[in-house]
Amino acid sequence: MRHSKVGQCGNQVGCRFWDLALREHAHVNKTGVYDDALSSFFRNVDSRKSDGGACGFGGRIQHLKARAVLVDMEEGVVNEILQGPLSEVFDSTQLLTDVSGSGNNWAVGHMSYGSVYREQIVDKLRKAAEHCDCLQCFFLIHSMGGGTGSGLGTRVLSLLEEEFPEVCRIVTSVYPSPEDDVITSPYNSVLAMKELSEHADCVIPVENQSLVDIVNKIKHMSDGGKPGLTIRKDSSIISGQGGLRGAEKPFDAMNNIVANLLLNITSSARFEGSLNMDLNEIAMNLVPFPRLHYLVPSLTPLYTLADVSVPTRRLDQMFSDAFSKDHQLLRANPKHSLYLACALMVRGNVQVSDLRRNIERLRPSLPFVSWNQEGWKTGLCSVPPVGHSHSLLALANNTCVKSTFLDLKERFTKLYRKKAHLHHYLHVEGMEQSCFSEAITSLSSLIEEYHHLDATKGKLIPDAPRLSIAR
């Protein structure tokens, strides 16, 4: 499994993920032996060997190197990582940086830097893939609002499809809030959306505003919103110290929530369980139509991940929480829309019977499309998050994502109607105005596809009559 992080946001989230992943493996692996669980995300390298060769399974851990490629067109974040406690985890040959950045311009990231660094990016991806015995999936982490994450991030995505067409591509995309301070973020996001719709197998959209709301609720608890609620400052959600130096920054708590999402989605690939789920099974089971591959994530326990001193949620309540708006990383209401499919990825001491019981309990309140009433995919990983008895990640292919895309389209149209800031993009070689019209047409078409499915809600289509078999 390979992780690619592009841009400031992608690298900060990615750094936090690796820090938390190392903590999880250290908690489970008490022997210091390089095992299957570690090998899925880390190489074990012996620097004493002349070729810096990899060590096989069963041997002592020497130097763990993350299976990752870090790309940014500014040096700041990557340099900060290399000067921090995780510096030894990243192989310097797997880093690619520039100095000037993309200036919040999708065209600069996608067209300019994408062309200049194409061969270097492909070379690093190939070398990273060569270290894998059985490459199952590529994870791409990026943001949508800036220039490098949206532009170069989606260029990397298309290169992954070009070079490794058979390997699943799962993208975690952080969407800007309506009050984003990047004026051109609607342009960048819509231009990136076209690439995501065409080249990704699955996209897990996360909204900045949802993360802000969650962090504010956690802060309210820590400030005494309710008697007896406190948050330890070294908590996995609040602490920004993992992997980076210096004082906590405004986005650290938000990045930690996304990192915990990634920990849960990859848990079956890293640890054993009675019902393991391969990552490529997510696309196979949750994506009935190629372009409708946007999966709404919700995570529970969410507030207790921040070490809020409240009693652990009962197992059944955890399942209910996973389908509530408060635990979603996207502002929408799935229960008012239509489910195409849903995956439940559970960690901890949970039985298959618990899963089935809760699915049956919740099923009547969740409107599924008529032709896929049994559209559930489940995974059970026996290793819970550190400090918790169990956790649950739900990934819902639900038409409620349409509301996020409608908001984005509206913000794009306000700018584009006036042709505001367009000249910054059209000055970039290879960028034409047709790129804008094609991108908004692609987004409008995607919205329309969700709209057509929404229109079928409540209309049960009877099964075709069975053929009578002649006796």
Side-chain angles (χ1 to χ4, degrees), residues 113-147:
Y113 286 128
S115 299
V116 169
Y117 288 106
R118 183 188 189 284
E119 294 307 318
Q120 288 187 55
I121 292 170
V122 169
D123 181 59
K124 291 180 186 298
L125 292 171
R126 284 176 181 162
K127 286 180 178 175
E130 287 168 4
H131 289 303
C132 300
D133 295 327
C134 181
L135 182 57
Q136 183 186 116
C137 174
F138 282 105
F139 261 98
L140 179 69
I141 309 168
H142 74 132
S143 68
M144 299 287 280

PDB file of all heavy atoms in Angstrom, residues 113-147:
ATOM      1  N   TYR A 113       3.632  22.806 -12.988  1.00  0.00           N
ATOM      2  CA  TYR A 113       4.432  21.875 -12.200  1.00  0.00           C
ATOM      3  C   TYR A 113       4.190  20.427 -12.638  1.00  0.00           C
ATOM      4  O   TYR A 113       5.105  19.601 -12.604  1.00  0.00           O
ATOM      5  CB  TYR A 113       4.126  22.025 -10.715  1.00  0.00           C
ATOM      6  CG  TYR A 113       4.712  23.268 -10.097  1.00  0.00           C
ATOM      7  CD1 TYR A 113       3.931  24.151  -9.353  1.00  0.00           C
ATOM      8  CD2 TYR A 113       6.064  23.565 -10.236  1.00  0.00           C
ATOM      9  CE1 TYR A 113       4.469  25.293  -8.777  1.00  0.00           C
ATOM     10  CE2 TYR A 113       6.611  24.707  -9.664  1.00  0.00           C
ATOM     11  CZ  TYR A 113       5.806  25.565  -8.945  1.00  0.00           C
ATOM     12  OH  TYR A 113       6.359  26.694  -8.370  1.00  0.00           O
ATOM     13  N   GLY A 114       2.968  20.126 -13.058  1.00  0.00           N
ATOM     14  CA  GLY A 114       2.671  18.775 -13.513  1.00  0.00           C
ATOM     15  C   GLY A 114       3.523  18.371 -14.699  1.00  0.00           C
ATOM     16  O   GLY A 114       3.941  17.210 -14.822  1.00  0.00           O
ATOM     17  N   SER A 115       3.803  19.317 -15.583  1.00  0.00           N
ATOM     18  CA  SER A 115       4.647  19.036 -16.752  1.00  0.00           C
ATOM     19  C   SER A 115       6.128  19.010 -16.374  1.00  0.00           C
ATOM     20  O   SER A 115       6.871  18.112 -16.775  1.00  0.00           O
ATOM     21  CB  SER A 115       4.406  20.095 -17.839  1.00  0.00           C
ATOM     22  OG  SER A 115       3.064  20.069 -18.271  1.00  0.00           O
ATOM     23  N   VAL A 116       6.550  20.005 -15.584  1.00  0.00           N
ATOM     24  CA  VAL A 116       7.966  20.110 -15.216  1.00  0.00           C
ATOM     25  C   VAL A 116       8.431  18.888 -14.422  1.00  0.00           C
ATOM     26  O   VAL A 116       9.532  18.362 -14.642  1.00  0.00           O
ATOM     27  CB  VAL A 116       8.212  21.401 -14.397  1.00  0.00           C
ATOM     28  CG1 VAL A 116       9.616  21.403 -13.779  1.00  0.00           C
ATOM     29  CG2 VAL A 116       8.013  22.627 -15.272  1.00  0.00           C
ATOM     30  N   TYR A 117       7.597  18.424 -13.499  1.00  0.00           N
ATOM     31  CA  TYR A 117       8.013  17.360 -12.596  1.00  0.00           C
ATOM     32  C   TYR A 117       7.432  15.988 -12.944  1.00  0.00           C
ATOM     33  O   TYR A 117       7.575  15.043 -12.160  1.00  0.00           O
ATOM     34  CB  TYR A 117       7.626  17.725 -11.153  1.00  0.00           C
ATOM     35  CG  TYR A 117       8.477  18.819 -10.568  1.00  0.00           C
ATOM     36  CD1 TYR A 117       7.977  20.115 -10.411  1.00  0.00           C
ATOM     37  CD2 TYR A 117       9.799  18.580 -10.186  1.00  0.00           C
ATOM     38  CE1 TYR A 117       8.761  21.128  -9.881  1.00  0.00           C
ATOM     39  CE2 TYR A 117      10.582  19.575  -9.647  1.00  0.00           C
ATOM     40  CZ  TYR A 117      10.063  20.851  -9.502  1.00  0.00           C
ATOM     41  OH  TYR A 117      10.855  21.836  -8.985  1.00  0.00           O
ATOM     42  N   ARG A 118       6.822  15.875 -14.091  1.00  0.00           N
ATOM     43  CA  ARG A 118       6.150  14.625 -14.457  1.00  0.00           C
ATOM     44  C   ARG A 118       7.075  13.416 -14.314  1.00  0.00           C
ATOM     45  O   ARG A 118       6.734  12.423 -13.662  1.00  0.00           O
ATOM     46  CB  ARG A 118       5.611  14.719 -15.879  1.00  0.00           C
ATOM     47  CG  ARG A 118       4.838  13.480 -16.308  1.00  0.00           C
ATOM     48  CD  ARG A 118       4.473  13.486 -17.786  1.00  0.00           C
ATOM     49  NE  ARG A 118       3.565  12.415 -18.105  1.00  0.00           N
ATOM     50  CZ  ARG A 118       3.916  11.138 -18.234  1.00  0.00           C
ATOM     51  NH1 ARG A 118       5.179  10.772 -18.057  1.00  0.00           N
ATOM     52  NH2 ARG A 118       3.013  10.223 -18.526  1.00  0.00           N
ATOM     53  N   GLU A 119       8.241  13.467 -14.949  1.00  0.00           N
ATOM     54  CA  GLU A 119       9.139  12.316 -14.947  1.00  0.00           C
ATOM     55  C   GLU A 119       9.640  11.995 -13.544  1.00  0.00           C
ATOM     56  O   GLU A 119       9.759  10.822 -13.175  1.00  0.00           O
ATOM     57  CB  GLU A 119      10.326  12.572 -15.881  1.00  0.00           C
ATOM     58  CG  GLU A 119       9.942  12.685 -17.358  1.00  0.00           C
ATOM     59  CD  GLU A 119       9.120  11.503 -17.837  1.00  0.00           C
ATOM     60  OE1 GLU A 119       9.453  10.344 -17.477  1.00  0.00           O
ATOM     61  OE2 GLU A 119       8.118  11.729 -18.567  1.00  0.00           O
ATOM     62  N   GLN A 120       9.926  13.034 -12.761  1.00  0.00           N
ATOM     63  CA  GLN A 120      10.387  12.791 -11.394  1.00  0.00           C
ATOM     64  C   GLN A 120       9.301  12.145 -10.542  1.00  0.00           C
ATOM     65  O   GLN A 120       9.570  11.242  -9.741  1.00  0.00           O
ATOM     66  CB  GLN A 120      10.837  14.102 -10.747  1.00  0.00           C
ATOM     67  CG  GLN A 120      12.144  14.653 -11.296  1.00  0.00           C
ATOM     68  CD  GLN A 120      12.618  15.856 -10.502  1.00  0.00           C
ATOM     69  OE1 GLN A 120      12.784  15.796  -9.286  1.00  0.00           O
ATOM     70  NE2 GLN A 120      12.832  16.964 -11.185  1.00  0.00           N
ATOM     71  N   ILE A 121       8.057  12.609 -10.719  1.00  0.00           N
ATOM     72  CA  ILE A 121       6.947  12.033  -9.952  1.00  0.00           C
ATOM     73  C   ILE A 121       6.749  10.571 -10.332  1.00  0.00           C
ATOM     74  O   ILE A 121       6.628   9.692  -9.466  1.00  0.00           O
ATOM     75  CB  ILE A 121       5.647  12.837 -10.187  1.00  0.00           C
ATOM     76  CG1 ILE A 121       5.764  14.232  -9.563  1.00  0.00           C
ATOM     77  CG2 ILE A 121       4.445  12.096  -9.602  1.00  0.00           C
ATOM     78  CD1 ILE A 121       4.636  15.176  -9.944  1.00  0.00           C
ATOM     79  N   VAL A 122       6.730  10.295 -11.638  1.00  0.00           N
ATOM     80  CA  VAL A 122       6.550   8.915 -12.108  1.00  0.00           C
ATOM     81  C   VAL A 122       7.675   8.028 -11.589  1.00  0.00           C
ATOM     82  O   VAL A 122       7.442   6.887 -11.144  1.00  0.00           O
ATOM     83  CB  VAL A 122       6.473   8.878 -13.648  1.00  0.00           C
ATOM     84  CG1 VAL A 122       6.565   7.438 -14.157  1.00  0.00           C
ATOM     85  CG2 VAL A 122       5.186   9.522 -14.138  1.00  0.00           C
ATOM     86  N   ASP A 123       8.901   8.537 -11.619  1.00  0.00           N
ATOM     87  CA  ASP A 123      10.052   7.758 -11.149  1.00  0.00           C
ATOM     88  C   ASP A 123       9.918   7.421  -9.669  1.00  0.00           C
ATOM     89  O   ASP A 123      10.170   6.275  -9.253  1.00  0.00           O
ATOM     90  CB  ASP A 123      11.334   8.560 -11.402  1.00  0.00           C
ATOM     91  CG  ASP A 123      12.578   7.795 -10.965  1.00  0.00           C
ATOM     92  OD1 ASP A 123      12.802   6.687 -11.480  1.00  0.00           O
ATOM     93  OD2 ASP A 123      13.317   8.313 -10.109  1.00  0.00           O
ATOM     94  N   LYS A 124       9.502   8.388  -8.858  1.00  0.00           N
ATOM     95  CA  LYS A 124       9.350   8.141  -7.422  1.00  0.00           C
ATOM     96  C   LYS A 124       8.206   7.170  -7.145  1.00  0.00           C
ATOM     97  O   LYS A 124       8.306   6.314  -6.255  1.00  0.00           O
ATOM     98  CB  LYS A 124       9.131   9.467  -6.683  1.00  0.00           C
ATOM     99  CG  LYS A 124      10.382  10.361  -6.672  1.00  0.00           C
ATOM    100  CD  LYS A 124      10.146  11.658  -5.927  1.00  0.00           C
ATOM    101  CE  LYS A 124      11.354  12.588  -6.071  1.00  0.00           C
ATOM    102  NZ  LYS A 124      12.586  12.011  -5.498  1.00  0.00           N
ATOM    103  N   LEU A 125       7.123   7.276  -7.898  1.00  0.00           N
ATOM    104  CA  LEU A 125       6.001   6.351  -7.725  1.00  0.00           C
ATOM    105  C   LEU A 125       6.404   4.934  -8.106  1.00  0.00           C
ATOM    106  O   LEU A 125       6.058   3.963  -7.420  1.00  0.00           O
ATOM    107  CB  LEU A 125       4.805   6.803  -8.570  1.00  0.00           C
ATOM    108  CG  LEU A 125       4.113   8.107  -8.132  1.00  0.00           C
ATOM    109  CD1 LEU A 125       3.095   8.537  -9.174  1.00  0.00           C
ATOM    110  CD2 LEU A 125       3.433   7.942  -6.772  1.00  0.00           C
ATOM    111  N   ARG A 126       7.146   4.805  -9.202  1.00  0.00           N
ATOM    112  CA  ARG A 126       7.595   3.478  -9.629  1.00  0.00           C
ATOM    113  C   ARG A 126       8.525   2.846  -8.607  1.00  0.00           C
ATOM    114  O   ARG A 126       8.396   1.663  -8.273  1.00  0.00           O
ATOM    115  CB  ARG A 126       8.312   3.580 -10.983  1.00  0.00           C
ATOM    116  CG  ARG A 126       7.382   3.750 -12.180  1.00  0.00           C
ATOM    117  CD  ARG A 126       8.206   3.931 -13.444  1.00  0.00           C
ATOM    118  NE  ARG A 126       7.363   4.119 -14.618  1.00  0.00           N
ATOM    119  CZ  ARG A 126       7.802   4.637 -15.764  1.00  0.00           C
ATOM    120  NH1 ARG A 126       9.081   5.008 -15.864  1.00  0.00           N
ATOM    121  NH2 ARG A 126       6.998   4.778 -16.798  1.00  0.00           N
ATOM    122  N   LYS A 127       9.493   3.635  -8.126  1.00  0.00           N
ATOM    123  CA  LYS A 127      10.437   3.096  -7.138  1.00  0.00           C
ATOM    124  C   LYS A 127       9.712   2.696  -5.863  1.00  0.00           C
ATOM    125  O   LYS A 127      10.047   1.677  -5.246  1.00  0.00           O
ATOM    126  CB  LYS A 127      11.520   4.132  -6.834  1.00  0.00           C
ATOM    127  CG  LYS A 127      12.541   4.270  -7.962  1.00  0.00           C
ATOM    128  CD  LYS A 127      13.606   5.302  -7.640  1.00  0.00           C
ATOM    129  CE  LYS A 127      14.636   5.382  -8.774  1.00  0.00           C
ATOM    130  NZ  LYS A 127      15.636   6.461  -8.558  1.00  0.00           N
ATOM    131  N   ALA A 128       8.736   3.500  -5.471  1.00  0.00           N
ATOM    132  CA  ALA A 128       7.954   3.163  -4.276  1.00  0.00           C
ATOM    133  C   ALA A 128       7.190   1.860  -4.496  1.00  0.00           C
ATOM    134  O   ALA A 128       7.124   1.002  -3.608  1.00  0.00           O
ATOM    135  CB  ALA A 128       6.982   4.292  -3.951  1.00  0.00           C
ATOM    136  N   ALA A 129       6.611   1.689  -5.686  1.00  0.00           N
ATOM    137  CA  ALA A 129       5.843   0.478  -5.997  1.00  0.00           C
ATOM    138  C   ALA A 129       6.745  -0.753  -6.051  1.00  0.00           C
ATOM    139  O   ALA A 129       6.331  -1.857  -5.677  1.00  0.00           O
ATOM    140  CB  ALA A 129       5.113   0.658  -7.323  1.00  0.00           C
ATOM    141  N   GLU A 130       7.985  -0.572  -6.496  1.00  0.00           N
ATOM    142  CA  GLU A 130       8.921  -1.707  -6.606  1.00  0.00           C
ATOM    143  C   GLU A 130       9.251  -2.300  -5.239  1.00  0.00           C
ATOM    144  O   GLU A 130       9.637  -3.466  -5.146  1.00  0.00           O
ATOM    145  CB  GLU A 130      10.206  -1.259  -7.307  1.00  0.00           C
ATOM    146  CG  GLU A 130      10.025  -1.040  -8.804  1.00  0.00           C
ATOM    147  CD  GLU A 130      11.214  -0.316  -9.430  1.00  0.00           C
ATOM    148  OE1 GLU A 130      12.207  -0.052  -8.707  1.00  0.00           O
ATOM    149  OE2 GLU A 130      11.139   0.001 -10.635  1.00  0.00           O
ATOM    150  N   HIS A 131       9.103  -1.528  -4.186  1.00  0.00           N
ATOM    151  CA  HIS A 131       9.382  -2.027  -2.833  1.00  0.00           C
ATOM    152  C   HIS A 131       8.223  -2.864  -2.289  1.00  0.00           C
ATOM    153  O   HIS A 131       8.342  -3.427  -1.192  1.00  0.00           O
ATOM    154  CB  HIS A 131       9.657  -0.860  -1.879  1.00  0.00           C
ATOM    155  CG  HIS A 131      10.967  -0.176  -2.113  1.00  0.00           C
ATOM    156  ND1 HIS A 131      12.175  -0.836  -2.088  1.00  0.00           N
ATOM    157  CD2 HIS A 131      11.267   1.123  -2.370  1.00  0.00           C
ATOM    158  CE1 HIS A 131      13.158   0.007  -2.317  1.00  0.00           C
ATOM    159  NE2 HIS A 131      12.637   1.211  -2.495  1.00  0.00           N
ATOM    160  N   CYS A 132       7.135  -2.928  -3.021  1.00  0.00           N
ATOM    161  CA  CYS A 132       5.953  -3.663  -2.549  1.00  0.00           C
ATOM    162  C   CYS A 132       5.893  -5.052  -3.184  1.00  0.00           C
ATOM    163  O   CYS A 132       6.060  -5.190  -4.398  1.00  0.00           O
ATOM    164  CB  CYS A 132       4.670  -2.896  -2.889  1.00  0.00           C
ATOM    165  SG  CYS A 132       4.570  -1.255  -2.162  1.00  0.00           S
ATOM    166  N   ASP A 133       5.631  -6.085  -2.372  1.00  0.00           N
ATOM    167  CA  ASP A 133       5.471  -7.436  -2.904  1.00  0.00           C
ATOM    168  C   ASP A 133       4.123  -7.604  -3.583  1.00  0.00           C
ATOM    169  O   ASP A 133       4.003  -8.305  -4.586  1.00  0.00           O
ATOM    170  CB  ASP A 133       5.589  -8.465  -1.772  1.00  0.00           C
ATOM    171  CG  ASP A 133       6.987  -8.481  -1.169  1.00  0.00           C
ATOM    172  OD1 ASP A 133       7.946  -8.236  -1.917  1.00  0.00           O
ATOM    173  OD2 ASP A 133       7.109  -8.722   0.042  1.00  0.00           O
ATOM    174  N   CYS A 134       3.106  -6.978  -3.012  1.00  0.00           N
ATOM    175  CA  CYS A 134       1.755  -7.104  -3.572  1.00  0.00           C
ATOM    176  C   CYS A 134       1.046  -5.762  -3.390  1.00  0.00           C
ATOM    177  O   CYS A 134       0.404  -5.522  -2.372  1.00  0.00           O
ATOM    178  CB  CYS A 134       0.987  -8.216  -2.866  1.00  0.00           C
ATOM    179  SG  CYS A 134      -0.686  -8.481  -3.507  1.00  0.00           S
ATOM    180  N   LEU A 135       1.164  -4.908  -4.385  1.00  0.00           N
ATOM    181  CA  LEU A 135       0.610  -3.559  -4.299  1.00  0.00           C
ATOM    182  C   LEU A 135      -0.912  -3.602  -4.448  1.00  0.00           C
ATOM    183  O   LEU A 135      -1.427  -3.967  -5.494  1.00  0.00           O
ATOM    184  CB  LEU A 135       1.235  -2.683  -5.389  1.00  0.00           C
ATOM    185  CG  LEU A 135       0.814  -1.208  -5.430  1.00  0.00           C
ATOM    186  CD1 LEU A 135       1.108  -0.528  -4.106  1.00  0.00           C
ATOM    187  CD2 LEU A 135       1.533  -0.485  -6.567  1.00  0.00           C
ATOM    188  N   GLN A 136      -1.606  -3.241  -3.383  1.00  0.00           N
ATOM    189  CA  GLN A 136      -3.066  -3.361  -3.368  1.00  0.00           C
ATOM    190  C   GLN A 136      -3.778  -2.057  -3.687  1.00  0.00           C
ATOM    191  O   GLN A 136      -4.832  -2.057  -4.313  1.00  0.00           O
ATOM    192  CB  GLN A 136      -3.507  -3.865  -1.988  1.00  0.00           C
ATOM    193  CG  GLN A 136      -5.001  -4.109  -1.850  1.00  0.00           C
ATOM    194  CD  GLN A 136      -5.383  -4.471  -0.424  1.00  0.00           C
ATOM    195  OE1 GLN A 136      -6.112  -3.761   0.235  1.00  0.00           O
ATOM    196  NE2 GLN A 136      -4.877  -5.586   0.056  1.00  0.00           N
ATOM    197  N   CYS A 137      -3.189  -0.933  -3.264  1.00  0.00           N
ATOM    198  CA  CYS A 137      -3.950   0.310  -3.317  1.00  0.00           C
ATOM    199  C   CYS A 137      -3.024   1.515  -3.225  1.00  0.00           C
ATOM    200  O   CYS A 137      -1.966   1.446  -2.594  1.00  0.00           O
ATOM    201  CB  CYS A 137      -4.951   0.323  -2.148  1.00  0.00           C
ATOM    202  SG  CYS A 137      -5.876   1.849  -1.947  1.00  0.00           S
ATOM    203  N   PHE A 138      -3.413   2.617  -3.875  1.00  0.00           N
ATOM    204  CA  PHE A 138      -2.769   3.911  -3.683  1.00  0.00           C
ATOM    205  C   PHE A 138      -3.724   4.810  -2.904  1.00  0.00           C
ATOM    206  O   PHE A 138      -4.909   4.898  -3.237  1.00  0.00           O
ATOM    207  CB  PHE A 138      -2.452   4.585  -5.018  1.00  0.00           C
ATOM    208  CG  PHE A 138      -1.233   4.049  -5.714  1.00  0.00           C
ATOM    209  CD1 PHE A 138      -1.350   3.222  -6.810  1.00  0.00           C
ATOM    210  CD2 PHE A 138       0.038   4.379  -5.260  1.00  0.00           C
ATOM    211  CE1 PHE A 138      -0.230   2.726  -7.451  1.00  0.00           C
ATOM    212  CE2 PHE A 138       1.171   3.889  -5.898  1.00  0.00           C
ATOM    213  CZ  PHE A 138       1.041   3.055  -6.999  1.00  0.00           C
ATOM    214  N   PHE A 139      -3.197   5.464  -1.858  1.00  0.00           N
ATOM    215  CA  PHE A 139      -3.944   6.484  -1.125  1.00  0.00           C
ATOM    216  C   PHE A 139      -3.379   7.839  -1.500  1.00  0.00           C
ATOM    217  O   PHE A 139      -2.175   8.063  -1.388  1.00  0.00           O
ATOM    218  CB  PHE A 139      -3.784   6.291   0.385  1.00  0.00           C
ATOM    219  CG  PHE A 139      -4.926   5.580   1.034  1.00  0.00           C
ATOM    220  CD1 PHE A 139      -4.858   4.234   1.302  1.00  0.00           C
ATOM    221  CD2 PHE A 139      -6.071   6.265   1.378  1.00  0.00           C
ATOM    222  CE1 PHE A 139      -5.905   3.571   1.904  1.00  0.00           C
ATOM    223  CE2 PHE A 139      -7.138   5.615   1.971  1.00  0.00           C
ATOM    224  CZ  PHE A 139      -7.058   4.272   2.235  1.00  0.00           C
ATOM    225  N   LEU A 140      -4.232   8.741  -1.931  1.00  0.00           N
ATOM    226  CA  LEU A 140      -3.812  10.111  -2.217  1.00  0.00           C
ATOM    227  C   LEU A 140      -4.515  11.041  -1.238  1.00  0.00           C
ATOM    228  O   LEU A 140      -5.736  10.966  -1.078  1.00  0.00           O
ATOM    229  CB  LEU A 140      -4.168  10.493  -3.656  1.00  0.00           C
ATOM    230  CG  LEU A 140      -3.818  11.920  -4.093  1.00  0.00           C
ATOM    231  CD1 LEU A 140      -2.314  12.100  -4.181  1.00  0.00           C
ATOM    232  CD2 LEU A 140      -4.451  12.241  -5.444  1.00  0.00           C
ATOM    233  N   ILE A 141      -3.744  11.907  -0.571  1.00  0.00           N
ATOM    234  CA  ILE A 141      -4.303  12.857   0.391  1.00  0.00           C
ATOM    235  C   ILE A 141      -3.988  14.259  -0.098  1.00  0.00           C
ATOM    236  O   ILE A 141      -2.820  14.584  -0.342  1.00  0.00           O
ATOM    237  CB  ILE A 141      -3.709  12.646   1.804  1.00  0.00           C
ATOM    238  CG1 ILE A 141      -3.801  11.179   2.220  1.00  0.00           C
ATOM    239  CG2 ILE A 141      -4.413  13.529   2.817  1.00  0.00           C
ATOM    240  CD1 ILE A 141      -2.994  10.850   3.465  1.00  0.00           C
ATOM    241  N   HIS A 142      -5.006  15.096  -0.251  1.00  0.00           N
ATOM    242  CA  HIS A 142      -4.793  16.456  -0.757  1.00  0.00           C
ATOM    243  C   HIS A 142      -5.976  17.340  -0.373  1.00  0.00           C
ATOM    244  O   HIS A 142      -7.005  16.850   0.083  1.00  0.00           O
ATOM    245  CB  HIS A 142      -4.630  16.442  -2.286  1.00  0.00           C
ATOM    246  CG  HIS A 142      -5.920  16.217  -3.022  1.00  0.00           C
ATOM    247  ND1 HIS A 142      -6.325  16.983  -4.085  1.00  0.00           N
ATOM    248  CD2 HIS A 142      -6.934  15.326  -2.832  1.00  0.00           C
ATOM    249  CE1 HIS A 142      -7.499  16.574  -4.531  1.00  0.00           C
ATOM    250  NE2 HIS A 142      -7.884  15.563  -3.791  1.00  0.00           N
ATOM    251  N   SER A 143      -5.804  18.643  -0.555  1.00  0.00           N
ATOM    252  CA  SER A 143      -6.924  19.567  -0.361  1.00  0.00           C
ATOM    253  C   SER A 143      -7.386  20.075  -1.718  1.00  0.00           C
ATOM    254  O   SER A 143      -6.669  19.988  -2.719  1.00  0.00           O
ATOM    255  CB  SER A 143      -6.515  20.738   0.531  1.00  0.00           C
ATOM    256  OG  SER A 143      -5.572  21.556  -0.145  1.00  0.00           O
ATOM    257  N   MET A 144      -8.585  20.633  -1.737  1.00  0.00           N
ATOM    258  CA  MET A 144      -9.210  21.058  -2.999  1.00  0.00           C
ATOM    259  C   MET A 144      -9.083  22.557  -3.250  1.00  0.00           C
ATOM    260  O   MET A 144      -9.211  23.020  -4.380  1.00  0.00           O
ATOM    261  CB  MET A 144     -10.695  20.699  -2.975  1.00  0.00           C
ATOM    262  CG  MET A 144     -10.975  19.218  -2.839  1.00  0.00           C
ATOM    263  SD  MET A 144     -10.634  18.304  -4.327  1.00  0.00           S
ATOM    264  CE  MET A 144     -12.118  18.669  -5.280  1.00  0.00           C
ATOM    265  N   GLY A 145      -8.842  23.349  -2.209  1.00  0.00           N
ATOM    266  CA  GLY A 145      -8.957  24.798  -2.346  1.00  0.00           C
ATOM    267  C   GLY A 145      -7.718  25.511  -2.863  1.00  0.00           C
ATOM    268  O   GLY A 145      -7.818  26.548  -3.509  1.00  0.00           O
ATOM    269  N   GLY A 146      -6.529  24.971  -2.565  1.00  0.00           N
ATOM    270  CA  GLY A 146      -5.293  25.635  -2.959  1.00  0.00           C
ATOM    271  C   GLY A 146      -4.861  25.268  -4.366  1.00  0.00           C
ATOM    272  O   GLY A 146      -5.617  24.686  -5.136  1.00  0.00           O
ATOM    273  N   GLY A 147      -3.619  25.598  -4.701  1.00  0.00           N
ATOM    274  CA  GLY A 147      -3.131  25.341  -6.052  1.00  0.00           C
ATOM    275  C   GLY A 147      -2.408  24.017  -6.196  1.00  0.00           C
ATOM    276  O   GLY A 147      -2.672  23.242  -7.110  1.00  0.00           O
TER     277      GLY A 147
END
